[in-house]
């Protein structure tokens, strides 16, 4: 196997591992100190050091002289941008544990959202208590009826609406859960 093919294989493995969410660090060091035009060209290739895993895959395929052709890889390559604002429930509302309620939001991300019930644990800490809706639509406005899991009664619960891989989030006002 030629040196260029070996480099391409290592780079393809790194791209595949990155695309599935693994972190891979590939370091290519010269085996011979003599200047080699192939290595000099490889050093000038673009490198994605941080950011969304799709960015590394896009940079790696660009370095190989090929564009990303997989539609799923293109989705990974596009970071989620926009804003989510939770408009309901309003402040001062109480809900029953294991009961249903309406959550509404505006979403400019164009991505489907997941909805989580969270508890404020105090001292700046929060805890996810359970997912109450998944893939709840990608429209500019959305609404879902969610069933809260059975949780201890208390005044410090809120809903979290999350788009994409969690890069964009919106939070409801706190509300009480009663028995």
């Amino acid at each position: 196997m030629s040196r260029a093919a070996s480099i391409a294989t290592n780079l393809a493995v790194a791209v595949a591992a990155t695309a599935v969410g693994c972190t891979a660090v590939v370091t290519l060091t010269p085996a011979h100190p003599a200047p080699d035009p192939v290595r000099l060209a490889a050093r000038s290739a673009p490198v994605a050091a941080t950011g969304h895993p799709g960015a590394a895959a896009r940079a790696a395929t660009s370095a190989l002289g090929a564009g990303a052709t997989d539609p799923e890889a293109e989705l990974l390559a596009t970071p989620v941008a926009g804003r989510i604002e939770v408009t309901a429930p309003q402040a001062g509302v109480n809900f029953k544990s294991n009961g249903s309620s309406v959550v509404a939001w505006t979403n400019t991300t164009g991505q489907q959202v997941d909805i989580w019930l969270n508890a404020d644990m105090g001292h700046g800490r929060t805890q996810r208590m359970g997912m109450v809706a998944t893939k709840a639509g990608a429209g500019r406005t959305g609404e879902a009826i969610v069933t809260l899991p059975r949780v201890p009664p208390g005044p410090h619960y809120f809903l979290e609406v999350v788009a994409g891989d969690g890069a964009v989030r919106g939070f409801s006002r706190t509300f009480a859960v009663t028995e």
Side-chain angles (χ1 to χ4, degrees):
M1 178 186 293
S2 72
R3 180 76 174 149
S6 175
I7 291 172
T9 301
N10 288 340
L11 195 52
V13 169
V15 168
T18 303
V20 296
C22 300
T23 302
V25 176
V26 177
T27 304
L28 301 175
T29 56
H32 306 288
D36 183 357
V38 173
R39 288 191 195 114
L40 292 175
R43 284 187 202 145
S44 64
V47 176
T50 62
H52 193 277
R58 185 173 47 233
T61 55
S62 296
L64 290 173
T69 58
D70 181 14
E72 192 170 306
E74 280 299 312
L75 287 175
L76 287 174
T78 306
V80 177
R83 180 183 160 127
I84 296 174
E85 182 180 348
V86 180
T87 56
Q90 296 296 325
V93 177
N94 294 339
F95 297 107
K96 292 208 177 274
S97 182
N98 209 28
S100 297
S101 64
V102 175
V103 60
W105 63 90
T106 59
N107 175 10
T108 63
T109 66
Q111 301 282 317
Q112 292 181 328
V113 297
D114 295 329
I115 304 170
W116 292 84
L117 175 66
N118 292 335
D120 183 350
M121 306 303 286
H123 305 291
R125 298 176 321 160
T126 62
Q127 179 179 352
R128 282 185 169 168
M129 304 304 287
M131 183 180 282
V132 294
T134 183
K135 301 193 186 302
R140 193 154 181 80
T141 60
E143 184 176 280
I145 296 175
V146 299
T147 300
L148 301 179
R150 189 165 301 280
V151 294
H156 301 290
Y157 289 96
F158 61 96
L159 294 169
E160 175 185 19
V161 180
V162 181
D165 61 356
V168 181
R169 308 163 185 267
F171 302 95
S172 74
R173 298 178 186 258
T174 59
F175 54 86
V177 173
T178 61
E179 287 192 57

